């Protein structure tokens, strides 16, 4: 592997080995997409001022493990920032100084080096705007969501990706028991097979969201998550001697074709082409193996063949409604579903557990599906029924377009 030379001399001090083993903090994977909009100057000023105030006050079949030395090839460092980012002195915020203290005390980072690093970070207002929840009142619409992903351009790109990486997909299916169409569906939904992996410096977006997350009901937990991922990024960069600002990703800090957060690269990233590196941006093999590894580690059952979800009819007496409140897990026996008036075409294997899934269609009738463990494994990638079903249907469409 060609050595990567730090862009800034101070970072060589900050990221020198501390002489102790480093453990990555564990956080759930958050699905993200590349930012495509810029916030107005007015909203940027307001959001930045709000973030500064809050941060300063401190509110702020076989399970096969294919691992390597876990080296992520860094994306080329940009000579100039080509996105809407504003230089801001993060060191003015008490929460940032506390974070530097923690990284210095707990992980042995050089304080002056970290201060230099955060002195170069950019405030990304578009990230703040994009993580805000959608305005209330708009009904969920599965068909509208589906149409964004099951469409000709993405299907054609999926066929090319599958044809070009058929060997790696077959190896992943053999090693992990995750079908090729599911892996293809996830990478297609996430980034259109690497077309939209994001051009933000991960350190900029994570610093922004860790210390200036917008006011939402879950603000504290989200700030804690992004702060943990910021720490994971610094630990990862030091461990593998990477220039931290060379890591590029989405507006929320996710990296590569499968959009893994830094912590998940450490936990689930796979060197699937055997070159001694984990490169989720440039290596389809590594992206394929890493997606399969993530799913198998989150409950994918290779013994369950066939589609993870089956269409269902529900009785008008609505005795099945309480079954919708079971969370993102398969907990129901087939006889429980039948007793509540849920009927599928054909028999469900008696030894499996299932969940009842509702896909709302706005003013149109809701679709109901019975889903097994593998459907809910996909929801661990993104906690959404719509997401999991779009992955399944995109993969199925790509497989059909290839001729099976």
């Amino acid at each position: 592997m060609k050595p990567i030379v730090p862009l800034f001399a101070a970072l060589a001090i900050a990221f020198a080995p501390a002489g102790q083993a480093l453990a990555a903090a564990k956080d759930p994977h958050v699905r993200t997409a590349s930012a495509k909009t810029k916030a107005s100057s007015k909203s940027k000023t307001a959001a930045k001022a709000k973030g500064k105030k809050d941060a300063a006050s401190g509110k702020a079949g076989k399970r096969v493990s294919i691992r390597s030395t876990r080296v992520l090839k860094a994306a080329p460092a940009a000579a100039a920032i080509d996105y809407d980012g504003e230089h801001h002195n993060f060191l003015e915020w008490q929460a940032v100084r506390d974070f530097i203290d923690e990284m210095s005390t707990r992980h042995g980072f050089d304080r002056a080096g970290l201060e230099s690093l955060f002195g170069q970070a950019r405030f990304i207002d578009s990230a703040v705007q994009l993580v805000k929840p959608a305005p209330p009142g708009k009904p969920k619409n599965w068909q509208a969501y589906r149409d964004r992903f099951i469409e000709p351009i993405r299907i054609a790109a999926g066929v090319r990706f599958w044809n070009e990486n058929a060997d790696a997909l077959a190896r992943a299916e053999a090693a992990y028991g995750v079908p090729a169409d599911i892996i293809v569906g996830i990478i297609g939904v996430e980034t259109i097979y690497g077309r939209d992996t994001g051009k933000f410096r991960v350190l900029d977006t994570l610093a922004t969201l860790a210390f200036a997350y917008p006011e939402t009901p879950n603000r504290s937990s989200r700030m804690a998550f992004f702060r943990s991922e910021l720490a994971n990024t610094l630990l990862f960069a030091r461990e593998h001697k990477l220039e931290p600002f060379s890591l590029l990703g989405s507006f929320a800090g996710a990296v590569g074709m499968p959009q893994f957060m830094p912590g998940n690269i450490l936990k689930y990233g796979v060197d699937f082409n055997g070159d001694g590196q984990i490169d989720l941006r440039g290596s389809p093999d590594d992206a394929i193996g890493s997606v399969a590894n993530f799913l198998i580690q989150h409950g994918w059952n290779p013994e369950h063949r066939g589609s993870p979800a089956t269409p269902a009819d529900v009785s008008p007496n609505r005795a099945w409604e309480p079954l919708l409140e079971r969370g993102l897990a398969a907990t129901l026996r087939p006889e429980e579903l039948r007793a509540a008036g849920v009927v599928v075409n054909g028999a469900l294997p008696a030894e499996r557990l299932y969940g009842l899934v509702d896909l709302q269609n706005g003013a149109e009738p809701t679709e109901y599906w019975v889903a097994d463990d593998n459907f809910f494994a996909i929801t661990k990638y993104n906690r959404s029924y719509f997401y999991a079903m779009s992955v399944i249907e995109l993969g199925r469409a790509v497989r059909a377009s290839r001729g099976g």
Side-chain angles (χ1 to χ4, degrees), residues 10 45 50 78 127 136 176-177 187 207 226 236 249 251 265 282 291 298 306 400:
T45 301
K50 182 70 170 64
Y176 295 99
I187 296 176
F226 286 111
F236 182 87
F251 71 85
I265 298 174
V291 168
H298 285 84

Side-chain angles (χ1 to χ4, degrees), residues 146 150 152 154-156 158-160 162-163 180-182 184-185 193 391-404:
R146 179 189 185 280
I150 322 303
R154 208 174 296 247
I155 293 170
V159 171
R160 289 193 299 273
W162 194 326
N163 289 341
D181 55 291
I182 297 297
V184 167
Y193 308 100
V391 164
I392 293 167
E393 294 210 0
L394 177 59
R396 183 183 298 147
V398 173
R399 181 185 289 277
S401 187
R402 296 182 75 236

